[in-house]
């Protein structure tokens, strides 16, 4: 049994003043924390590059030999622990523009569509990649349309095809920098919902949740505790170590004790998780057990905890499981819970290999959380209700 660790919190020095712009929940306690303005989705490239550091050159995805989009994507993920799967997909497609011999806009679009399909097919869980790839494809189509039409209202010069492609290559880091800025904004916004004297329950090893809790701990007026549901993954272990190193009191529990803890610890007022993707109906697809945690947070007698999801807007995807809760229906390749096979794990893996199946390993399996269990999303654009996601899909995708 682990004991609470008393924190040693560093002093908080506010270096920047922000304007509050967050949609708040009813009965949300007032706070003195400040909130940054939303990061505009169409921020000018020059402004963004001036405001954020250029990405380090050590994470180049270039490779010897013919271009392979799958290897490029995997190289980006392995070389940079901070990059998200959607952003890695975007950067892989930008590298494709550098490698392709296409000489017209139509040829380029066809090459991107073909390689996008190949990249998605290589992943047992293609939805995070799809979220990023769709964003890039829309960005590319708008840029290519603009090179033929120009913008007479804003005096934007008409660019040729080669100039348009070079513009995209030169601004490769734009998506990466936006993702970094989004996490920083989410950390500041999310910290407002971490209350003094309360307990936050979390799970899944989410990097953005860890940033929210670390940001909240910088406020010397807040003394809070964290209960972490351990799923046996290295990501969860790393998150707990990071939080404890910052002086935050963290208790760890097993998944089978969640209902007991939720029902008996009245100081828990927030369940905070991250996600791999946000579906267009306001649900989420995240690490296995997230759906169960959301259900328990709302249905354990005496519980009814607030359930928030911290997520960047680039994780929104145009997908919704048609049959709740079967994520297999939206392209995710993992064990079908309807099929029970009387075989050992090794034999099952051999059967899948012979059949050419590539499925998620058990530690990476995901589940679906219905929007009825979600109170809100903490995004870089502010707090969004599940019902707002439809509008954001239309706006960003």
């Amino acid at each position: 049994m682990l004991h609470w660790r008393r924190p040693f919190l560093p002093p908080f020095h506010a270096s920047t003043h922000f304007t509050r712009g967050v949609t708040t929940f009813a009965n949300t306690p007032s706070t003195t924390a400040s909130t940054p303005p939303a990061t505009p989705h169409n921020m000018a490239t020059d402004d963004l590059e001036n405001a954020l550091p250029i990405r380090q050159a050590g994470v180049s995805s270039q490779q010897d030999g013919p271009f392979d989009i799958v290897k490029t994507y995997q190289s980006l993920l392995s070389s940079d622990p901070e990059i998200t799967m959607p952003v890695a997909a975007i950067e892989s497609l930008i590298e494709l523009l550098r490698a392709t011999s296409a000489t017209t806009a139509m040829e380029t679009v066809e090459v991107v569509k073909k390689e996008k399909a190949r990249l998605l097919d290589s992943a047992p869980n293609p939805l995070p990649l799809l979220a990023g790839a769709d964003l890039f494809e829309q960005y590319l189509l708008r840029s290519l349309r603009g090179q033929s039409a120009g913008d007479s209202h804003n005096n934007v010069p008409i660019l040729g095809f080669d100039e348009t492609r070079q513009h995209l290559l030169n601004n490769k880091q734009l998506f990466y920098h936006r993702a970094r800025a989004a996490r920083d904004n989410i950390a500041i916004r999310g910290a407002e919902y971490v209350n003094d004297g309360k307990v936050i329950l979390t799970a899944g090893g989410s990097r953005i949740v860890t940033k929210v809790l670390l940001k909240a701990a910088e406020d010397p007026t807040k003394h809070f505790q964290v209960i972490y549901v351990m799923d046996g993954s290295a990501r969860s272990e790393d998150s707990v170590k990071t939080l404890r190193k910052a002086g935050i009191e963290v208790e760890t529990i097993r998944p089978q004790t969640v209902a007991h803890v939720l029902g008996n610890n009245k100081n828990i007022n927030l369940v905070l998780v991250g996600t791999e993707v946000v579906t267009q109906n306001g649900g989420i697809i995240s690490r296995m057990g997230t759906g169960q945690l959301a259900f328990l947070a709302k249905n354990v007698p005496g519980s009814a905890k607030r359930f928030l999801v911290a997520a960047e807007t680039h994780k929104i995807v145009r997908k919704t499981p048609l049959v709740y809760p079967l994520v297999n229906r939206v392209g995710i390749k993992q064990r079908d819970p309807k099929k029970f096979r009387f075989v050992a794990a090794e034999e099952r893996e051999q059967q899948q290999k012979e059949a050419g199946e590539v499925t998620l390993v058990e530690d990476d399996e995901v589940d679906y959380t219905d929007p009825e269990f979600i109170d809100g999303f903490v995004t870089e654009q502010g707090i969004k209700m599940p019902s707002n996601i439809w509008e954001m899909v239309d706006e960003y995708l």
Side-chain angles (χ1 to χ4, degrees), residues 41 86 89 138 148-149 215-216 262-263 283 285 326 374:
H41 199 74
Q138 293 301 316
S148 60
K215 173 57 71 173
L262 283 171
I285 294 177
L326 296 181
I374 299 172

Side-chain angles (χ1 to χ4, degrees), residues 288-358:
M288 185 66 73
T290 305
Q292 174 180 270
L293 180 60
F295 178 85
L296 292 174
K298 295 301 180 184
N299 291 282
V300 169
S303 176
K305 314 299 183 185
R306 177 181 293 170
F307 189 92
L308 297 183
V309 180
E312 304 94 324
T313 54
H314 68 245
K315 291 182 177 180
I316 299 174
V317 66
R318 285 185 180 272
K319 290 286 185 178
T320 297
L322 297 178
V323 181
Y324 172 77
L326 296 181
V327 296
N328 303 67
R329 299 291 184 91
V330 289
I332 297 175
K333 307 179 188 74
Q334 66 182 30
R335 290 179 299 170
D336 189 337
K338 302 192 306 301
K339 296 180 180 179
F340 189 90
R341 301 178 181 179
F342 294 91
V343 295
E346 295 80 5
E347 187 177 345
R348 181 169 63 248
E349 291 174 2
Q350 182 62 30
Q351 290 178 354
Q352 292 172 343
K353 185 177 181 180
E354 292 174 354
E357 297 179 5
V358 179

Side-chain angles (χ1 to χ4, degrees), residues 72-364:
T72 300
Y73 170 79
Q74 293 171 344
S75 175
L76 284 163
L77 283 183
S78 61
S79 63
D80 187 352
E82 291 299 315
I83 196 171
T84 62
M85 288 183 281
V87 173
I90 290 170
E91 292 202 13
S92 299
L93 289 168
I94 294 177
E95 283 298 320
L96 169 65
L97 292 184
R98 191 188 309 277
T100 183
S101 58
T103 58
T104 67
M106 183 174 294
E107 288 177 354
T108 300
V109 171
E110 288 302 314
V111 169
V112 167
K113 287 181 178 294
K114 178 182 177 181
E115 290 298 304
K116 169 187 170 183
R118 181 169 175 265
L119 179 60
L120 297 179
D121 190 57
S122 71
N125 179 8
L127 295 191
L129 289 69
L130 179 63
D134 279 352
L135 269 179
F136 173 76
E137 191 172 3
Q138 293 301 316
Y139 183 83
L140 175 64
L141 290 172
R142 285 195 300 268
S143 298
L144 292 176
R145 282 198 295 265
Q147 63 96 9
S148 60
D151 189 337
S152 58
H153 296 291
N154 296 318
N155 297 318
V156 175
I158 298 176
L159 300 178
F161 169 73
D162 290 335
E163 293 173 305
T164 300
R165 183 166 67 174
Q166 190 60 46
H167 172 74
L168 291 171
L169 293 174
N170 292 342
N171 294 296
K172 173 185 174 182
Q173 308 305 327
L174 178 64
F175 297 98
Y176 179 83
H177 292 328
R178 281 178 174 168
R180 287 183 57 184
R183 284 187 180 177
D184 291 339
N185 282 350
I186 290 171
I188 295 172
R189 296 177 187 280
E192 291 196 1
Y193 294 93
V194 177
N195 302 130
D196 178 48
K198 296 298 183 179
V199 178
I200 296 87
L201 189 144
T202 187
S206 168
R207 291 170 292 189
I208 189 62
V209 169
T210 300
K211 284 186 71 76
V212 169
L213 297 175
L214 291 175
K215 173 57 71 173
E218 293 178 1
D219 187 342
T221 67
K222 291 182 179 180
H223 175 226
F224 62 93
Q225 299 167 324
V226 175
I227 295 178
Y228 219 108
V229 183
M230 303 303 290
D231 56 9
S233 68
R235 289 174 59 179
S236 294
E237 294 283 354
D238 291 342
S239 294
V240 170
K241 290 178 182 178
T242 300
L243 294 174
R244 285 176 172 165
K245 186 176 180 180
I248 300 173
E249 301 180 34
V250 182
E251 175 68 288
T252 58
I253 62 173
R254 296 170 296 171
Q256 55 265 44
T257 66
V258 169
H260 173 76
V261 171
L262 283 171
N264 289 278
N265 191 328
K266 304 304 180 184
N267 284 328
I268 299 175
N269 75 327
L270 174 63
V271 178
L272 180 64
V273 300
T275 186
E276 294 192 8
V277 293
V278 179
T279 57
Q280 62 183 356
N281 67 327
I284 62 172
I285 294 177
S286 193
R287 292 182 65 86
M288 185 66 73
T290 305
Q292 174 180 270
L293 180 60
F295 178 85
L296 292 174
K298 295 301 180 184
N299 291 282
V300 169
S303 176
K305 314 299 183 185
R306 177 181 293 170
F307 189 92
L308 297 183
V309 180
E312 304 94 324
T313 54
H314 68 245
K315 291 182 177 180
I316 299 174
V317 66
R318 285 185 180 272
K319 290 286 185 178
T320 297
L322 297 178
V323 181
Y324 172 77
L326 296 181
V327 296
N328 303 67
R329 299 291 184 91
V330 289
I332 297 175
K333 307 179 188 74
Q334 66 182 30
R335 290 179 299 170
D336 189 337
K338 302 192 306 301
K339 296 180 180 179
F340 189 90
R341 301 178 181 179
F342 294 91
V343 295
E346 295 80 5
E347 187 177 345
R348 181 169 63 248
E349 291 174 2
Q350 182 62 30
Q351 290 178 354
Q352 292 172 343
K353 185 177 181 180
E354 292 174 354
E357 297 179 5
V358 179
T359 59
L360 288 170
V361 299
E362 188 172 354
D363 287 346
D364 292 335

